[in-house]
Amino acid sequence: MADITRRLGWRHLRGAPTAHIRHHRGGKLLHDGPGLSFWFRALTAALSEVPVDDRELAMTFHARTSDFQDVAVQATVTYRISDPALAAARLDFSVDPDTGAWRGTPLEQLGTLLTETAQQHALDVLARTSLSSALVDGVAAVRERVAAGLAAEPRLPATGIEVVAVRVVALRPEPEVERALRTPAREQIQQEADRATYERRAVAVERERTIAENELASQIELARREEQLVEQRGTNARREAEEHAAADAVRAGAEAARSLKLAEAEAARSVQLARAEAEGARAVGEARAQAQAAWLQVHTDVDVAVLHALTGTRLAENLPRIDSVTVSPDVLTGLLAKLGTRDPA
């Protein structure tokens, strides 16, 4: 849209770099080009503004495949007006000299032309393609066919239109058909998921079995080592008992030898003591015998009366103590009689 200002009956137009301005007055072309700026009179000027930038035209239409299934086609066509003078001559790009707005709808006419042309070629290619093939390879086929059809369309160059690019965004069937088509894929995906789940469970079970086997093997190895430990402990205990027994035997032998030596020493000492006692007893006996013999020898020459006196003295020494003596007449008479009858010699 051109920028137009008013000044005392005159108009000033300032165009954009992407807009081609054509100014006619009295059938003569006064200004022609993009991004122009000039003064003009509204009563005598004929203005047209043709956009020369790239334009995006989005389109959506329905088509039917060879198996009578409806599909929705979403596409985008990029185009530009390569010949503004030709386009201005074929389409109404005139603008109001007071407001700068288009008096017609030229871009809508271009959009209708491009949409119908693209739709015609897309319908032609999809009518010969089944739904499954269209969903798989239809995007590329439709894009190539639409691009080729627009390039071969004679009306577009005659209008000054150049198609830059064609893009087909999607081909979609009806919602019911799309759900029906998704079902096998979903079932297959679910089956794959279930199989993956089962395989994961199988792997988990196998790992658990391996872990259990490893634990059992570890327990078996531990039990075997404990058995070896018990056996080694028994061997060590037996060896220790044998060593203790040998040590006890050695100690017992040493004790026996020491006891034997002590007994022999004690016996020798007892023998020596007995011999000494025997010698002492013999010496004592000999001394006593000698003393007795000497005593007898001494008393051999002593008078009998003296011996009797000595005997009485010894007897008196050995008798118990007598506090009082009672002599009866009979005893006294007998004693006196014995004394009277005794020989004076």
Side-chain angles (χ1 to χ4, degrees), residues 108-123:
E108 293 182 2
Q109 295 176 5
L110 282 178
T112 302
L113 174 62
L114 292 173
T115 300
E116 290 179 352
T117 304
Q119 183 176 0
Q120 179 181 357
H121 294 288
L123 293 176

Side-chain angles (χ1 to χ4, degrees), residues 1 18 49-57 79-81 87 91-94 102-115 161:
M1 180 177 176
T18 57
E49 182 183 11
V50 180
V52 294
D53 57 339
D54 291 348
R55 297 274 173 163
E56 300 286 342
L57 176 62
Y79 69 95
R80 72 166 65 99
I81 300 176
L91 299 173
D92 185 11
F93 283 98
S94 62
W102 278 317
R103 291 176 174 176
T105 57
L107 295 182
E108 293 182 2
Q109 295 176 5
L110 282 178
T112 302
L113 174 62
L114 292 173
T115 300
I161 306 300

Side-chain angles (χ1 to χ4, degrees), residues 249-289:
V250 171
R251 286 196 297 271
E255 291 291 336
R258 186 167 58 253
S259 299
L260 180 61
K261 289 181 180 180
L262 291 176
E264 290 177 354
E266 185 67 23
R269 188 165 61 83
S270 299
V271 170
Q272 292 178 359
L273 182 60
R275 288 178 180 177
E277 289 179 354
E279 289 295 332
R282 184 175 59 79
V284 171
E286 290 179 353
R288 287 180 179 179

